Amino acid sequence: MNASQSPIFRLDCKAQSYDWGKIGSSSKVARFAASSPAFTVHEDRPYAELWMGTHPSGPSTLHGSDVTLESVLKANPQLLTQYFYDEYHGHLPFLFKVLSINKALSIQAHPDKELAKKLYRERPAIYKDDNHKPEMAIALTEFEALCGFRPLNEISAALDAWSELSELVGRDAVDTFQNALKEADVDNQRQALKQLYTAVMTAEPSTVKERLDSLIHKLTSAGKEYRPQTIEELVLRIHSQFPGDVGVFSLFFLNYVVLQPGQAIFLAANEPHAYLSGDCVECMAASDNVVRAGLTPKFKDVDVLTQMLTYQAKSSADQLLTGVSCAPHSPHSLLYDPPIEEFSVVLTRLDHDKDKESLQGTEGPSVVIVTNGKGVVRSEKAPEVPVEAGNVLFVGANVPFSIEAQGENGVTIYTAFSVKPDN
């Protein structure tokens, strides 16, 4: 290791301005990015994502400089460990983000490794790498999302309740689906759901517009004020953001979840989802592969999406990932550990001035973001670092550290990290 390179150091991270982001300083992304000296918040601009990592589309740099994190890691392999350095070619195994969402993201799924390699080989202009992209979101504020297919009986009830939906897919697809529900054959049920959802997503645009116009007219002419987060309010809200878009009908197919701060969802490969509103931290494998099919002006790869999905139907509760206490070593921390190799995340919340928490060193790299309050990060292996909301740190492999709150608001940090797999 370069003797002058501390294993704990601050990063400046790139804010991405996408149309769906929150505007100006109402965005946590903008407020966090503003802790870097070169960043200025423009109050008329949307700020959607803060990228923390080595991804080439938004590489992090050492605080106050143009030196990239990637170049530091490649010059100091021990910061990653030799295993991660070799396995990920000097890059982080994960991409860590903050998202601030003002309007719905696309109906999408991320390919598994096999499909990612095929898409990259065949269409590298669209799918720019060959990696999978499982991801996890942990809510910072109330956070709305669609994730995975609803239980089949809920989809069946929607077909009965909403004539516009059943008319769009056609009687044959409806009958096939309803008949499959009467049997115990899971494969047949998944095939029937695939036929049904494909019929929606591949319907003629003129038919989609006609059925949506009818649905919106039915809702708006009823003279009712729909409660927030009901299916009626959701349909009207998402349609107002994407008029005439077939993705509106996905509201009848996908689980709608509302996360409170600290609650999480894990999104495996080949599972449909869409974030609708709120702020979250998100961690994912280091890929930018997205297959979209609705609620977007971007390229829609409907055939690939409808073929790639698993068509597993689960309840909304089954989509949640619960944080597990890190006591006794770290009693103020929760571990979110999805069933993949690339990353896990620890949430540490200290509520009072001078509260302290020690975090064990991990056999891989870590990235830390402060989301609330102020504190001091200390380690026997590095100089202490004062931190406040928006600050991002890199922590090298096998480097334990502590965080102490400074001020009556306490301090909250999220730590994304990797650990070498056992096998």
Side-chain angles (χ1 to χ4, degrees):
M1 182 185 293
N2 185 333
S4 64
Q5 180 58 62
S6 169
I8 299 179
F9 50 88
R10 271 191 66 185
L11 299 173
D12 291 335
C13 302
K14 184 174 181 180
Q16 308 279 20
S17 293
Y18 306 142
D19 180 60
W20 48 262
K22 291 186 178 181
I23 305 299
S25 56
S26 69
S27 168
K28 282 188 181 292
V29 167
R31 297 202 302 274
F32 291 168
S35 71
S36 295
F39 184 84
T40 302
V41 178
H42 297 278
E43 293 299 339
D44 59 346
R45 181 178 297 176
Y47 295 97
E49 297 186 353
L50 185 72
W51 287 29
M52 300 170 277
T54 57
H55 195 286
S57 296
S60 298
T61 57
L62 270 62
H63 179 58
S65 85
D66 295 326
V67 178
T68 65
L69 174 59
E70 177 188 353
S71 67
V72 173
L73 297 180
K74 287 184 174 178
N76 298 273
Q78 295 88 341
L79 291 173
L80 294 170
T81 73
Q82 198 63 43
Y83 168 80
F84 284 110
Y85 183 86
D86 293 341
E87 187 74 11
Y88 296 95
H89 311 292
H91 286 264
L92 290 180
F94 57 82
L95 176 60
F96 203 22
K97 295 182 180 181
V98 175
L99 274 61
S100 289
I101 300 164
N102 188 47
K103 69 176 187 178
L105 279 68
S106 59
I107 303 294
Q108 60 184 253
H110 305 299
D112 58 26
K113 286 187 176 181
E114 183 179 355
L115 178 58
K117 289 177 180 178
K118 179 176 184 291
L119 294 173
Y120 177 64
R121 183 174 63 249
E122 295 177 355
R123 286 182 284 170
I126 299 172
Y127 301 103
K128 299 183 184 298
D129 61 71
D130 63 356
N131 199 15
H132 68 164
K133 192 188 175 187
E135 60 190 26
M136 176 175 64
I138 308 173
L140 293 172
T141 62
E142 185 173 270
F143 187 81
E144 295 178 289
L146 303 176
C147 57
F149 284 103
R150 294 174 180 266
L152 299 181
N153 64 311
E154 293 184 16
I155 298 173
S156 176
L159 289 166
D160 292 336
W162 302 96
S163 60
E164 294 81 5
L165 175 61
S166 57
E167 289 166 5
L168 179 65
V169 299
R171 194 71 253 166
D172 288 347
V174 171
D175 288 344
T176 299
F177 178 75
Q178 303 283 28
N179 289 333
L181 264 59
K182 300 173 185 177
E183 305 170 3
D185 190 321
V186 174
D187 288 338
N188 280 351
Q189 290 177 349
R190 288 186 181 179
Q191 190 59 37
L193 177 57
K194 179 179 181 178
Q195 180 183 344
L196 189 72
Y197 192 61
T198 301
V200 170
M201 301 308 288
T202 59
E204 286 292 328
S206 59
T207 307
V208 172
K209 183 180 184 307
E210 184 180 293
R211 294 297 90 212
L212 272 178
D213 287 347
S214 174
L215 176 59
I216 299 304
H217 177 73
K218 176 189 288 186
L219 294 174
T220 54
S221 63
K224 298 180 181 178
E225 184 170 336
Y226 300 106
R227 287 184 297 108
Q229 302 177 348
T230 60
I231 187 65
E232 294 87 354
E233 185 272 335
L234 286 168
V235 166
L236 290 173
R237 187 195 337 157
I238 302 305
H239 185 267
S240 72
Q241 296 173 3
F242 296 94
D245 194 298
V246 68
V248 175
F249 282 108
S250 286
L251 290 164
F252 298 112
F253 285 88
L254 305 184
N255 285 297
Y256 170 66
V257 297
V258 182
L259 304 181
Q260 299 305 317
Q263 291 186 306
I265 50 175
F266 172 67
L267 302 162
N270 302 328
E271 295 295 344
H273 59 277
Y275 298 154
L276 303 182
S277 74
D279 302 272
C280 73
V281 293
E282 184 184 49
C283 201
M284 64 198 66
S287 169
D288 204 24
N289 279 327
V290 183
V291 182
R292 301 178 178 88
L295 306 184
T296 180
K298 295 182 179 180
F299 172 71
K300 299 177 184 180
D301 207 343
V302 177
D303 289 342
V304 169
L305 183 123
T306 54
Q307 289 297 317
M308 71 188 279
L309 300 179
T310 66
Y311 294 97
Q312 295 184 74
K314 303 178 182 179
S315 72
S316 57
D318 289 335
Q319 309 292 334
L320 302 182
L321 182 69
T322 302
V324 177
S325 173
C326 298
H329 186 272
S330 304
H332 302 285
S333 298
L334 295 174
L335 170 65
Y336 300 84
D337 190 21
I340 56 164
E341 292 182 355
E342 284 88 348
F343 62 84
S344 301
V345 175
V346 169
L347 160 60
T348 303
R349 182 184 292 118
L350 302 177
D351 293 328
H352 307 102
D353 186 29
K354 304 302 181 183
D355 281 355
K356 297 179 182 179
E357 185 82 318
S358 295
L359 295 165
Q360 295 175 310
T362 63
E363 298 177 77
S366 301
V367 174
V368 180
I369 181 166
V370 183
T371 60
N372 182 65
K374 296 181 179 181
V376 176
V377 170
R378 297 186 176 95
S379 172
E380 293 181 358
K381 298 186 177 183
E384 70 175 41
V385 183
V387 294
E388 61 183 2
N391 289 176
V392 179
L393 303 179
F394 175 85
V395 179
N398 301 305
V399 177
F401 68 94
S402 67
I403 175 78
E404 178 182 339
Q406 293 200 325
E408 61 184 16
N409 293 326
V411 68
T412 302
I413 64 172
Y414 288 80
T415 303
F417 66 94
S418 297
V419 176
K420 181 181 177 180
D422 292 334
N423 54 353

